[in-house]
Amino acid sequence: MAATMAFAAFHPFPNLRRVPFLRRISAATEFNISFGAAPSPDVKEDSPKTLVPDPSSPEPSAAPVPMLIPWIVRGEDGQLTLQSTPPARFLQAMAEAKMAKKEKKKVDKKKPSGATATAPPSLASTTSVPKYSKAARRFYNQNIREQPQRLSKVLAAAGVASRRSCEELIFEGKVTVNGSVCTSPQSRVDLAKDSIYVNGNRLSKKLPPKLYFALNKPKGYICSGVEDSKSVVSLFGDFLKNWSKSNPGLPKPRLFTVGRLDVATTGLIIVTNDGDFAQRISHPSSELRKEYIATVDGKVNRRHLGALSEGTEVEGVHCIPDLVELLSNQPDASRPRLRIVVHDGRNHEVRELVKTAGLQLYSLKRVGIGGFRLSSDLGLGKYVELKQADFKLLEGNAQKNT
């Protein structure tokens, strides 16, 4: 009764006379709250307003009175008002709390067992992993994601050594993968996930970028991947020496030549650290055309040209050149020059052709590979980095035959 009187004193509404504040409608403990009727005529206006419980019991056949909860809300004008429905901002806050609870349950289901939620529910939806369709995941795995590769190939790409030398290191038990010694070069590894050690040194998670150069090889240099004083790779000494300064955090690339030129042969040779690219260019099955300028001693007649065109046997295979042409004499050259184009790619093929034709070779220079030609202003021992258009010239024929 005291609480009822206090409620009435705080909210003196003139239209409220009797409010069945606690009306018992059944034997069970259940209460309904409803608004009362208008005041009777015999009640004076200046009399105090009180809320009195209705002691009368409802009729059994009467419909149950709906439960109404009064809400005291402060309006925009700052005054307190009484209403029968909750305020809009309260309903909105309840809805947001319910949605946050559902989002939290979704995040907890995605987390592994034993993991505790550290991020608030509001951030759960932004940090969760998005879902993609099967077609999108398949395209990513086949075209973008790097698939596990053979251990020997990964070591060679990281610049450890040549692929054959890497296989020897693996056979000798000097390579460990995730703490276990691996003796199979064909083992599949993922450089981003697996921990690989070679001779106790951890392999970097980053691979050096793919590099491609066109070099004008001088006479007296051998085509070897070893940084010897007379190797082709030694001509890149300054480039490799400054690698760490210009490319911090990246391992030094291991450069090697694509194919080989004799120590006495000059001209165009490709230098790279991409093994797959080198295999496509240098393998005889690519049938990539290679153009040479052969300078010979003595005179060249039709019989010599006929013998050159008939070809010769090299490494057990009869090789026939694609083109044999006698070039016109130049004022600064006293010896005749022959343009010879071959595609077999056999070792010493051009030298054997000239020898079989009965000619004495004075010098040999390669000037073209595929559609790519050696620039006339590129000096001996100098190199240039290949551009995107150069790859189409180099690999044009190779892609058609693979």
Side-chain angles (χ1 to χ4, degrees), residues 98-112 117 121 124-129 131:
K98 188 176 180 180
M99 292 298 298
K101 187 176 181 181
K102 290 182 179 180
E103 294 292 337
K104 183 179 179 181
K105 288 182 178 180
K106 291 181 181 180
V107 174
D108 293 340
K109 288 181 180 180
K110 293 180 180 180
K111 287 186 177 181
S125 59
T126 59
T127 57
S128 59
V129 179
K131 294 182 179 180

Side-chain angles (χ1 to χ4, degrees), residues 149-163:
Q149 298 179 341
R150 296 190 304 273
L151 178 58
S152 59
K153 184 177 181 179
V154 171
L155 297 182
V160 175
S162 64
R163 190 172 299 185

Side-chain angles (χ1 to χ4, degrees), residues 103-349:
E103 294 292 337
K104 183 179 179 181
K105 288 182 178 180
K106 291 181 181 180
V107 174
D108 293 340
K109 288 181 180 180
K110 293 180 180 180
K111 287 186 177 181
S113 58
T116 57
T118 57
S122 59
L123 299 179
S125 59
T126 59
T127 57
S128 59
V129 179
K131 294 182 179 180
Y132 300 98
S133 63
K134 290 184 178 180
R137 293 197 301 269
R138 187 185 306 112
F139 178 83
Y140 173 80
N141 293 332
Q142 293 178 355
N143 300 276
I144 301 177
R145 180 183 178 184
E146 292 186 0
Q147 300 294 332
Q149 298 179 341
R150 296 190 304 273
L151 178 58
S152 59
K153 184 177 181 179
V154 171
L155 297 182
V160 175
S162 64
R163 190 172 299 185
R164 183 173 299 179
S165 299
C166 289
E167 291 178 354
E168 295 178 358
L169 291 173
I170 296 172
F171 287 133
E172 294 173 0
K174 296 181 179 180
V175 180
T176 61
V177 179
N178 298 328
S180 302
V181 177
C182 183
T183 57
S184 175
Q186 305 299 324
S187 300
R188 298 281 176 171
V189 295
D190 189 344
L191 189 60
K193 297 180 180 179
D194 297 327
S195 178
I196 305 174
Y197 282 80
V198 181
N199 289 327
N201 299 319
R202 184 170 184 174
L203 200 66
S204 175
K205 294 293 184 180
K206 297 181 181 180
L207 293 177
K210 302 300 183 182
L211 302 173
Y212 310 89
F213 300 97
L215 170 72
N216 189 0
K217 175 187 171 299
K219 186 176 181 180
Y221 284 80
I222 60 175
C223 296
S224 173
V226 182
E227 296 185 18
D228 188 80
S229 59
K230 279 296 183 178
S231 69
V232 170
V233 179
S234 65
L235 298 173
F236 294 84
D238 294 338
F239 174 80
L240 297 175
K241 185 178 181 181
N242 299 325
W243 176 264
S244 299
K245 296 181 180 179
S246 57
N247 301 274
L250 292 178
K252 184 185 298 185
R254 189 190 67 86
L255 299 177
F256 52 87
T257 59
V258 179
R260 293 177 180 272
L261 287 178
D262 296 329
V263 64
T265 304
T266 62
L268 176 62
I269 191 165
I270 306 300
V271 180
T272 182
N273 63 337
D274 188 349
D276 295 334
F277 169 79
Q279 179 71 7
R280 292 195 303 269
I281 297 300
S282 60
H283 198 273
S285 62
S286 66
E287 296 185 352
L288 197 62
R289 298 179 58 175
K290 301 175 182 65
E291 181 178 344
Y292 294 83
I293 301 297
T295 305
V296 297
D297 288 325
K299 294 183 178 181
V300 180
N301 52 40
R302 293 183 178 180
R303 182 179 62 84
H304 295 137
L305 296 177
L308 285 170
S309 301
E310 292 177 359
T312 186
E313 186 173 340
V314 181
E315 298 179 349
V317 179
H318 188 78
C319 300
I320 300 177
D322 297 337
L323 177 66
V324 176
E325 180 185 4
L326 179 62
L327 299 178
S328 58
N329 295 330
Q330 292 183 346
D332 57 344
S334 58
R335 294 180 177 85
R337 298 179 303 127
L338 295 169
R339 178 173 173 242
I340 303 175
V341 180
V342 297
H343 67 270
D344 294 282
R346 303 290 174 178
N347 193 22
H348 303 294
E349 180 179 357

